[in-house]
Amino acid sequence: MLLTITYTGRGTSDLGYLLYKNPNRCPQAFDLTFGMAHVFYPEVTDGRTTAALLLDIDPLDLAKGKGGAEGLFDYVNDRPYVSSSFMSVAIAKVFGTAMTGRADAHQELSDSPLELSAEITMLPCNTDFAMLARVFGPLGYSVSFEARALDESFPEWGESRCVDLTLRGSVRLRDLLRHIYVLLPVFDRHKHYWVGDDEVDKLLRSGGEWLETHPERKFIVDRYLHRQRDLVGEYFARLNDGLEEPEEKPAREPGLNAKRLDAVLDALKASGARTVIDLGCGEGRLLSLLLRDGQFAKIAGTDVSQSSLKRASDRLRLETASERTDERVTLFQSSLTYKDRRIQGYDAASVMEVIEHLDAARLNVFERVLFGYAKPRVIVLTTPNRDYNAVYEKLTADEMRHGDHRFEWTRSEFSAWAEAVAARRGYKVAISGIGDVSAEYGSPTQMGVFELCE
Ligand code: SAH
């Protein structure tokens, strides 16, 4: 994937100073844990200079989870070929100083609008193409894009969702970089890292003034934060303008998180379990409730995301915890699809709002690992109820609640899966709903409590 930035006018070779990348010392390579970034200048004349940022990503590394790639990519994935959140990370790493606007001897140039254009190849545009102009237009760009056929030999397959996007405008370089940095992941909704609280900081930092007054601000913030109501709410609360209190029904029921935690905690307590492992524990909300309850003598949390585990550890204050707490709680990185010896030996396991992040094709592996290999006496599992999405006005029929969800199940799909797994693995299952009840659509969350048959 490739991003080029072209500066036209007089003395354009100064672009090198602004980017802090010397055209005479290129190509330069940067190791970004998930792959290599290369910077070079295909064109340097007095009237026109182009800098290019090329990303070279190995899909196999991603599939192995290298470089914080949390989504557990398939071995065949599109990430090496599209301009996605990986490109945003690369921009911040390679052109970080330019993004701040600091330019030492060339400060005046850096502070001035320049005739710039950016070409972003293969931007996955998971929304109406018209949004490209509605989002970039108000920022002062003329926007053009080219969409290709998915495969020229099969015109009946239609158009690809990827476009080559060109932005042209008279803007400061730092603004161009910040716009691209924030907006790439708005169009491509598949972020490779888990969207948590620190994303709000990033958005406030890089969004700054231009986002505050943007007519499509709501769309941008919603998608940047993966429609996570609490994060979107936090963004607007911290902007402190109160203008954007959503008029539509919220994408999530307020308080649903708390109700879900209560329901899972109740089920674990009722099971009589003394030792519990929370798989996909995220930021450790359930763990902190378990910790406060004396019934649970041993508590473990696992997640595929190292940064979530760090946040869980902070939430539980493990670094300064007593020896007793230290002995009671363990956190470790693992995946629901690994046969990991460390997940064995617990009375109960909880899997809250995690399975929908797995590719459906991996559910059989998950089943084997948890129900076959770890085989705790009790398993409490929750997942969204897709039927209920009809209640959320903001979601269209084929949309999901979160950008990283790989599927959301209707009530009949969930119960079919749960019953079949229980039957295959020697468990019995009780299914219930969590949250407000709609007569027609049930509750927003569905829960299955599996008990091993004696
Ligand atoms: N259980 C927590 C977090 C749910 S969010 C809660 O209810 O608050 C989903 C979590 O699943 C994220 O923390 C994500 O990192 C994790 N996850 C995604 N795929 C995973 C996998 N294959 N194995 C383990 N955890 C995974």
Side-chain angles (χ1 to χ4, degrees):
M1 47 182 129
L2 182 69
L3 164 73
T4 62
I5 294 176
T6 300
Y7 174 22
T8 46
R10 290 236 308 275
T12 58
S13 55
D14 287 346
L15 184 62
Y17 291 111
L18 299 184
L19 288 172
Y20 281 79
K21 297 288 170 284
N22 184 343
N24 301 320
R25 269 204 275 123
C26 285
Q28 291 182 43
F30 302 84
D31 192 345
L32 298 178
T33 71
F34 54 77
M36 296 299 290
H38 303 272
V39 175
F40 56 95
Y41 286 77
E43 187 175 19
V44 185
T45 66
D46 196 40
R48 193 179 151 92
T49 298
T50 299
L53 173 63
L54 176 81
L55 271 195
D56 186 10
I57 293 180
D58 183 342
L60 293 184
D61 283 347
L62 297 186
K64 290 178 200 147
K66 203 176 155 189
E70 292 171 3
L72 287 185
F73 291 92
D74 282 328
Y75 278 94
V76 178
N77 64 62
D78 66 357
R79 297 295 99 178
Y81 313 107
V82 298
S83 290
S84 67
S85 52
F86 287 111
M87 181 59 102
S88 284
V89 174
I91 292 172
K93 289 263 155 70
V94 175
F95 297 137
T97 313
M99 276 176 88
T100 68
R102 209 191 82 209
D104 300 332
H106 295 81
Q107 197 58 47
E108 203 182 316
L109 193 65
S110 164
D111 293 339
S112 315
L114 308 173
E115 291 310 311
L116 294 173
S117 66
E119 265 187 61
I120 301 156
T121 52
M122 295 290 277
L123 170 70
C125 180
N126 288 310
T127 184
D128 193 341
F129 288 159
M131 281 315 282
L132 291 166
R134 286 173 55 186
V135 166
F136 286 102
L139 298 170
Y141 299 102
S142 72
V143 179
S144 54
F145 62 87
E146 200 178 324
R148 299 203 189 85
L150 261 182
D151 188 320
E152 280 159 13
S153 330
F154 299 92
E156 65 275 19
W157 289 0
E159 267 186 351
S160 151
R161 296 306 306 168
C162 288
V163 297
D164 291 343
L165 176 68
T166 305
L167 307 170
R168 277 196 191 82
S170 180
V171 287
R172 295 183 306 182
L173 178 64
R174 82 189 70 154
D175 294 327
L176 175 67
L177 292 171
R178 289 177 190 174
H179 294 153
I180 297 173
Y181 169 76
V182 170
L183 295 170
L184 284 186
V186 165
F187 285 97
D188 170 38
R189 299 179 63 194
H190 190 126
K191 269 193 195 171
H192 67 278
Y193 47 85
W194 180 248
V195 175
D197 301 347
D198 49 350
E199 290 295 280
V200 177
D201 295 334
K202 270 204 242 165
L203 192 55
L204 285 164
R205 229 175 18 242
S206 303
E209 287 163 18
W210 63 266
L211 186 52
E212 270 177 57
T213 52
H214 197 293
E216 294 295 345
R217 175 168 80 157
K218 184 124 190 46
F219 169 84
I220 295 169
V221 172
D222 259 4
R223 292 182 59 122
Y224 189 87
L225 297 173
H226 277 202
R227 290 173 182 273
Q228 298 194 71
R229 263 294 127 206
D230 40 351
L231 296 185
V232 173
E234 191 188 324
Y235 170 82
F236 286 115
R238 284 173 53 186
L239 266 185
N240 206 11
D241 62 3
L243 284 176
E244 287 287 336
E245 277 310 305
E247 288 153 25
E248 315 92 307
K249 287 195 185 164
R252 270 199 212 160
E253 180 181 322
L256 179 59
N257 267 332
K259 288 180 198 166
R260 196 187 294 120
L261 286 165
D262 283 348
V264 171
L265 185 65
D266 285 349
L268 290 170
K269 279 176 76 76
S271 75
R274 305 262 308 141
T275 60
V276 179
I277 183 161
D278 187 27
L279 302 164
C281 65
E283 301 175 14
R285 294 194 173 93
L286 179 66
L287 296 175
S288 80
L289 297 180
L290 293 171
L291 195 59
R292 273 186 240 152
D293 194 311
Q295 173 177 333
F296 304 108
K298 206 154 179 35
I299 300 159
T302 75
D303 203 285
V304 78
S305 149
Q306 198 61 263
S307 57
S308 293
L309 289 170
K310 168 79 177 78
R311 261 174 260 143
S313 165
D314 291 346
R315 180 186 294 271
L316 304 175
R317 304 215 173 83
L318 289 190
E319 265 176 32
T320 53
S322 65
E323 215 169 292
R324 206 177 90 72
T325 303
D326 249 3
E327 277 169 17
R328 241 177 112 204
V329 186
T330 330
L331 294 179
F332 58 90
Q333 188 177 26
S334 185
S335 167
L336 291 175
T337 52
Y338 296 158
K339 228 170 149 181
D340 187 330
R341 207 176 293 137
R342 294 169 297 176
I343 69 170
Q344 287 186 314
Y346 290 88
D347 298 339
S350 48
V351 197
M352 272 180 80
E353 307 297 286
V354 184
I355 59 167
E356 61 276 9
H357 294 272
L358 304 181
D359 283 329
R362 288 176 187 256
L363 284 173
N364 55 353
V365 181
F366 161 67
E367 174 190 331
R368 247 193 340 262
V369 168
L370 180 58
F371 292 80
Y373 174 74
K375 222 172 180 45
R377 195 161 54 68
V378 175
I379 295 168
V380 182
L381 183 147
T382 72
T383 193
N385 162 20
R386 173 151 140 226
D387 293 326
Y388 195 85
N389 289 358
V391 177
Y392 298 138
E393 281 175 2
K394 278 187 58 188
L395 293 184
T396 55
D398 58 350
E399 266 187 320
M400 292 192 262
R401 295 184 200 176
H402 190 289
D404 189 48
H405 285 179
R406 307 301 159 88
F407 61 85
E408 283 172 358
W409 273 334
T410 62
R411 284 164 296 172
S412 62
E413 285 166 336
F414 178 58
S415 69
W417 176 81
E419 299 285 357
V421 171
R424 276 196 292 269
R425 303 288 171 180
Y427 282 79
K428 62 182 195 302
V429 60
I431 292 174
S432 55
I434 302 171
D436 287 349
V437 184
S438 134
E440 201 175 340
Y441 303 114
S443 298
T445 299
Q446 31 194 356
M447 174 167 79
V449 179
F450 297 79
E451 270 183 73
L452 193 59
C453 303
E454 295 306 329

